[in-house]
Amino acid sequence: MALPQRKSFALSRSNRKLLGVCSGLSEYFDLDVTLVRIAFVLATFLGVGAPVLIYLVAALIAD
């Protein structure tokens, strides 16, 4: 019996605009990358939490 593969978050090296965080998140959660990018931009402009800080932290801790 084979064990299921464990998903891990990693920065995307092929489909990235800045650091690949949004692409990595879209691959991890199986979402469209455009939706993730729009969500980050809207959250930044609307002041929801600290999306820029979250983006940088995710870029630093990703594989």
Side-chain angles (χ1 to χ4, degrees):
M1 184 169 164
L3 295 173
Q5 281 188 324
R6 184 176 162 200
K7 279 176 114 175
S8 65
F9 172 69
L11 299 177
S12 175
R13 300 288 182 215
S14 60
N15 187 16
R16 65 187 207 174
K17 297 293 181 190
L18 292 175
L19 298 173
V21 173
C22 290
S23 297
L25 286 173
S26 70
E27 290 172 8
Y28 184 78
F29 290 111
D30 197 27
L31 298 170
D32 184 24
V33 67
T34 305
L35 294 176
V36 176
R37 288 178 178 147
I38 289 172
F40 261 100
V41 170
L42 285 176
T44 301
F45 285 132
L46 296 176
V48 179
V52 174
L53 182 62
I54 293 168
Y55 188 93
L56 293 174
V57 169
L60 291 173
I61 64 171
D63 290 342

